[in-house]
Structure formats: structure tokens, C-alpha cells
Amino acid sequence: MTVSIANANLYARFEGPMAAAGAKPALMPPGEPVLTYAALASAAARYANALVAAGVKPGDRVAVQVEKSAANVCLYLGCLKAGAVYNPLNTAYTAAELEYFIGDAEPALVVVSAQTAAKLASLRVARSIPRMETLEPDGTGSMADLAAGQADRHATVMRQPTDLAALLYTSGTTGRSKGAMITHENLVSNALTLSDYWGFTGDDVLLHALPI
């Protein structure tokens, strides 16, 4: 007898509603074209395929120190889809501070701005970072180029509820920053709770002024 196992991947929860929303606006970045749910799903698939092409495997950490942008959202969704662990790093961190975080997280891929990538050349060698790509606030960069050449279909990787989805470092105000391990189940629970408490509907518009 074949037993069907539901995919606990957070992105799997998005797929049905995103497909149903289709041409409705998903993101409206200031000064940029509106990104529909269909376009967002396609972009997430391309970024997931780009991560695979870059050698990222399920469970690998992807350290990301780039400005908030639609492309960064697509990269985050791509990480979820590919089963990778999204590790956002504050853009105010210096190269010296990044050495600690990268050394501690041991990412398979680091995504930064071109300016930061130049500063991290020696760190990449010292920490044996397998791969480094760039992503700019306007959506350009080597990571975006890699994604642009990928297929817009990707089978969301199967994840268990306790598998990691994200790694977020604490502020370090009471000691050295520690990596908080956030599971897919953690994020699903948080999303469902907020949706319930805030009473979100498909007609609402959220002004997003926080970090991703």
C-alpha cells in the first residue's frame, strides 16, 4: 500500500493559493513593475533551479546580505522551494563581522552586492566558501543572471516539519550572536496565526516596511 506523505515545505503551502491568485498583484515595489502571483511563482522556480545549478542541495545554508528587493523575495522563495536554508544577514554588517557569521553558518552559497563581494575575496579563500554570487537592489547581478537562464518550473523539494527553513542570527546585545534555527513548521504556524489574528483577506494590501 502506498502512503501519501504531505510536503511540510512552507512553499508547498503557497502553491495552491498563488496559482489561484494568478494575475492578481503579489508585489508592488516602488518604482518597479507590479509582480503578479503567477510571475512570482515563475521567478521562485527559476531561483530554485539557479540554486541547484550553483550546487546548493536540500539542507544547505544560503547566506544572503543584500538590500530588500523583489529579487531578494524571489531568492528567499527559491531557497524554500529548493529545500535550502535561507540565512539573511544585516546589510550593516562589516566584512569583519561577516567572517564570524559565514564561519559559523558554513553556507554552500553566499549572495552579496558586487561591492561587498570585492571586499570578501580574501575571506572567500580563508573560509573556503564554495560559491559567491551577487544581487543588487535593482534585481541585477550574477545570481539574477543565473536565475534568468533557468526553467520556470521546479518541483518543490519534500521537507519534514522539523527541517530548517531559515537561520536567523540574534542581535548579540547580551553576548555573541547565535543562529536561531527556524523550521518549516515554525514559519507555517506563524503565518497561519498572523493570518487568523489579523484577519487577512485577498482584498488587503500590506505596506511592508520591515526587513524580509
Side-chain angles (χ1 to χ4, degrees):
M1 181 177 69
T2 301
V3 179
S4 177
I5 301 175
N7 190 354
N9 191 318
L10 173 62
Y11 191 88
R13 294 293 192 112
F14 298 157
E15 290 179 309
M18 288 174 74
K24 290 183 178 181
L27 295 176
M28 296 185 286
E32 298 180 31
V34 171
L35 198 63
T36 67
Y37 279 98
L40 184 61
S42 294
R46 286 194 293 270
Y47 270 92
N49 286 322
L51 290 166
V52 174
V56 175
K57 302 182 295 297
D60 281 348
R61 290 158 299 286
V62 177
V64 181
Q65 193 205 36
V66 300
E67 297 293 341
K68 182 178 177 180
S69 66
N72 195 357
V73 173
C74 294
L75 174 58
Y76 169 49
L77 293 177
C79 283
L80 291 173
K81 208 172 189 337
V85 180
Y86 184 78
N87 174 211
L89 296 171
N90 193 319
T91 53
Y93 287 147
T94 64
E97 289 171 315
L98 286 177
E99 182 172 9
Y100 165 69
F101 294 113
I102 291 174
D104 187 66
E106 297 183 334
L109 170 66
V110 174
V111 183
V112 293
S113 67
Q115 184 178 24
T116 301
K119 296 177 181 178
L120 296 182
S122 59
L123 176 61
R124 180 179 180 182
V125 175
R127 289 294 182 180
S128 300
I129 299 172
R131 185 153 180 164
M132 185 177 292
E133 301 291 346
T134 62
L135 190 63
E136 306 298 337
D138 63 359
T140 61
S142 63
M143 191 69 213
D145 292 340
L146 183 59
Q150 303 297 320
D152 63 357
R153 293 289 185 273
H154 177 276
T156 301
V157 171
M158 184 72 70
R159 294 278 84 189
Q160 298 299 318
T162 54
D163 285 333
L164 293 189
L167 179 65
L168 279 67
Y169 279 90
T170 60
S171 62
T173 52
T174 58
R176 198 156 204 187
S177 297
K178 299 176 182 62
M181 297 183 289
I182 313 297
T183 68
H184 284 270
E185 185 176 32
N186 291 150
L187 292 177
V188 167
S189 176
N190 186 64
L192 293 176
T193 299
L194 288 181
S195 179
D196 179 39
Y197 276 37
W198 291 353
F200 282 145
T201 74
D203 296 323
D204 290 326
V205 177
L206 173 65
L207 176 62
H208 198 290
L210 299 172
I212 292 176

